[in-house]
Amino acid sequence: MPIRHDPALEAANLRPGHQVTYELQNVTGSPTRRFPLKNSHFTDYENAVDEAEKTIFEHIDFDSDSDYATTSPQSLHYTPSEEEAVVRKFDRRLVLFIACLYMLGFLDRSNIGNAKIAGLSADLRLNSSQYEWTLRSFYITYVLFEWMPILYTVLSPSTYIASCVAAWGIIASLQAVATSYKVLCVLRALLGISEAAFSPGVPVFLAFFYKRNELAYRIGLFISAAPLATSFASSLAWLITMLGHKSPIASWRMLFLVEGFPSVLISMLAYYHIPNRPGVAKYLTKRERRVAELRLRAKKRDDHQHEARSRKFEWNEIWEALRDPQCYLTALMFCSCNVAFSSLPVFLPTIINDMGYSALSSQALSAPPYLVAFFVVLLTAFYSDQYRNRSIFICFHALLAAAGYTMITIAGILKANPMWRYWGVYPAASGFFSAVTLLITWTINNQESDAKKGTGVVILNIIGQLGPFIGTALYPEDDQPYYIRGMAACTVFMLVVAALSLWLRRFLQNKNIERDAMCSIAEGEEEEDLALHNESRKLVDQPRGFHYIL
């Protein structure tokens, strides 16, 4: 797409106030359009180009304009290699940092399982029911405050994220001084609030920086921090438990302190490191910041529009998302996955301990399954992006997890060698971690606007986080050492995920067919007759070419 400018702009004697007009002409030969720039006071040529790009994007919607839809804004001043360089920088400097924050948060959330076998239950005199309620107290507030991810579209992300990280770091560290069951429950409840404000909304935040076909791998990097944190937690717990025998501080208290306080320190770095939007990232050059904005449709990220949109809710879009059936189907799948996702990390050390291994060995043996899951999640997310497919990968990994839980269940029924149950943990962990990653991505991929993305994630998490209430009740002490009922329940829930993923795939296929048909009808109508086709017109007004990812 050629952009023509007044040759006087390149003249050395460019004067402020020079009237500038840009012409945009489609390569297919459509009529040239002329756009007078809002601001005609420029000090240099580059300044004029910046203003021209913003003006062009305000007038042309490259997704929906029939004359210009074949033209990509990528041709406006940047090359594929420049775009790749920007994406790589965001991968290294943003995604990995966010994944580090999530790893710290997941560490503080799930290390109570390691603390239990390090002496927590004995010192605080917790019975099985009380331990389960310390877990539930976290998820009660986590669910109640899961509306908070929508604040990513309202508040400054750098300030918001830093505050969340500092809050959970302080609360997690205070668990080290808990003196009773009630105090521990209160701290776990506060921890749930602080983590509910951060974790569920991160995928929405990443969607501000990446395209739809780039998102799964980046969310995979983010979610893979969970199994990495769990494996790291197990290894660290093993080390701290060893040192705790020679320390005047109880091992479980040292565990909470050592794993909680680093979050407080990192929160200060987060405030300065995290950009609020692509065009203000400090680690990008001025040129790269412009490319980062353009590649995501700069007209939607114009500074003035961003300020206006960031201070109000798009209530009509939120209402549309609330009525969207796909939001609830993905939420039901997420709920089923969370039964396993929330329960296995906090109970695995206990399960391995009940197999006959010592407390130290249990901490060490808890790490390898999650390390394997870390690499499986990354591979799954990468190929899911490559093939632009979510449902098949979700179905496969749900069945993989179900197979792992089935193996554990049958080994328990037959009272087979404990290693059979241990080996079953590998496919179970790899399966449900991968499924959770793609479910979050799938929800965001299939919503057109930031408000809908935020609302979809809120629905996903409010319904999805009901799963932990089931998961944390699956492993009572009465069922030790085999926990057959808990393992069998997880098998059933993962089979439900597989079935629902195929059902949603078929539903979205039909929606794509319907969308294409309605768009074709609407485009064939004369302008005066379009009022008779309101539903068709609504579809055309949505981004042209937008298809639900299956």
Side-chain angles (χ1 to χ4, degrees), residues 312-438:
K312 66 176 182 177
F313 287 111
E314 298 291 340
W315 291 109
N316 60 321
E317 295 182 351
I318 291 174
W319 177 241
E320 287 179 17
L322 288 172
R323 294 183 298 168
D324 191 348
Q326 65 164 316
C327 291
Y328 297 95
L329 286 173
T330 52
L332 286 174
M333 286 187 275
F334 194 52
C335 177
S336 298
C337 277
N338 268 340
V339 173
F341 184 80
S342 63
S343 60
L344 196 60
V346 296
F347 281 104
L348 184 58
T350 302
I351 294 170
I352 296 175
N353 190 21
D354 289 338
M355 289 180 183
Y357 295 96
S358 66
L360 281 176
S361 297
S362 299
Q363 304 281 23
L365 287 172
S366 298
Y370 296 111
L371 196 59
V372 171
F374 167 74
F375 292 107
V376 172
V377 167
L378 293 182
L379 283 173
T380 300
F382 176 79
Y383 284 108
S384 178
D385 269 348
Q386 289 291 304
Y387 291 101
R388 292 180 61 83
N389 188 288
R390 311 295 183 223
S391 57
I392 299 302
F393 287 92
I394 291 172
C395 182
F396 170 78
H397 283 285
L399 293 175
L400 179 67
Y405 280 114
T406 300
M407 181 177 174
I408 300 171
T409 304
I410 293 175
I413 293 173
L414 299 177
K415 296 180 173 56
N417 188 300
M419 288 306 296
W420 284 103
R421 285 184 285 155
Y422 178 69
W423 288 117
V425 174
Y426 284 83
S430 297
F432 67 68
F433 273 115
S434 298
V436 164
T437 299
L438 296 185

Side-chain angles (χ1 to χ4, degrees), residues 505-540:
R505 176 185 175 86
R506 182 60 181 169
F507 174 80
L508 294 178
Q509 281 179 326
N510 292 336
K511 293 288 286 184
N512 281 339
I513 293 171
E514 177 186 348
R515 180 181 289 264
D516 289 342
M518 297 298 283
C519 283
S520 297
I521 293 172
E523 288 172 358
E525 296 290 338
E526 295 294 330
E527 191 66 33
E528 60 267 25
D529 295 330
L530 289 180
L532 301 177
H533 299 273
N534 293 330
E535 189 62 31
S536 299
R537 191 69 255 164
K538 178 191 282 189
L539 287 171
V540 175

Side-chain angles (χ1 to χ4, degrees), residues 119-357:
L120 170 68
S121 294
D123 288 356
L124 297 187
R125 296 182 176 85
L126 303 181
N127 56 38
S128 178
S129 175
Q130 289 176 323
Y131 177 69
E132 289 175 10
W133 272 107
T134 61
L135 302 181
R136 291 193 189 112
S137 62
F138 173 91
Y139 288 107
I140 288 172
T141 54
Y142 196 94
V143 170
L144 290 177
F145 286 85
E146 283 206 304
W147 55 268
M148 294 181 73
I150 205 167
L151 295 178
Y152 276 92
T153 63
V154 180
L155 303 177
S156 165
S158 58
T159 304
Y160 180 70
I161 291 174
S163 301
C164 294
V165 177
W168 87 56
I170 293 170
I171 296 166
S173 300
L174 288 175
Q175 292 179 108
V177 297
T179 55
S180 67
Y181 160 66
K182 292 182 180 179
V183 172
L184 185 61
C185 278
V186 170
L187 289 172
R188 295 289 298 179
L190 293 175
L191 187 64
I193 296 174
S194 60
E195 294 210 23
F198 169 74
S199 303
V202 167
V204 176
F205 174 65
L206 292 180
F208 299 160
F209 296 83
Y210 291 97
K211 298 177 181 178
R212 295 171 74 208
N213 63 320
E214 299 169 341
L215 201 54
Y217 182 65
R218 278 75 197 183
I219 293 179
L221 286 169
F222 160 65
I223 294 294
S224 65
L228 187 63
T230 307
S231 63
F232 173 71
S234 298
S235 303
L236 184 59
W238 175 80
L239 178 62
I240 293 174
T241 302
M242 284 186 61
L243 297 176
H245 294 311
K246 303 176 182 179
S247 170
I249 303 175
S251 297
W252 64 271
R253 295 185 187 276
M254 188 183 297
L255 185 68
F256 282 137
L257 189 60
V258 171
E259 295 184 355
F261 193 70
S263 297
V264 180
L265 302 178
I266 294 294
S267 67
M268 293 182 281
L269 177 61
Y271 177 78
Y272 294 101
H273 184 76
I274 294 174
N276 293 327
R277 62 182 190 275
V280 297
K282 296 178 181 178
Y283 40 78
L284 298 181
T285 64
K286 182 178 180 180
R287 170 69 176 170
E288 288 170 336
R289 287 196 291 270
R290 185 195 301 171
V291 173
E293 291 278 6
L294 284 174
R295 66 185 292 272
L296 297 174
R297 305 298 190 266
K299 73 180 183 68
K300 296 179 181 178
R301 302 182 184 277
D302 176 85
D303 289 341
H304 300 294
Q305 289 180 344
H306 182 83
E307 286 295 317
R309 288 174 61 91
S310 66
R311 285 168 170 77
K312 66 176 182 177
F313 287 111
E314 298 291 340
W315 291 109
N316 60 321
E317 295 182 351
I318 291 174
W319 177 241
E320 287 179 17
L322 288 172
R323 294 183 298 168
D324 191 348
Q326 65 164 316
C327 291
Y328 297 95
L329 286 173
T330 52
L332 286 174
M333 286 187 275
F334 194 52
C335 177
S336 298
C337 277
N338 268 340
V339 173
F341 184 80
S342 63
S343 60
L344 196 60
V346 296
F347 281 104
L348 184 58
T350 302
I351 294 170
I352 296 175
N353 190 21
D354 289 338
M355 289 180 183
Y357 295 96

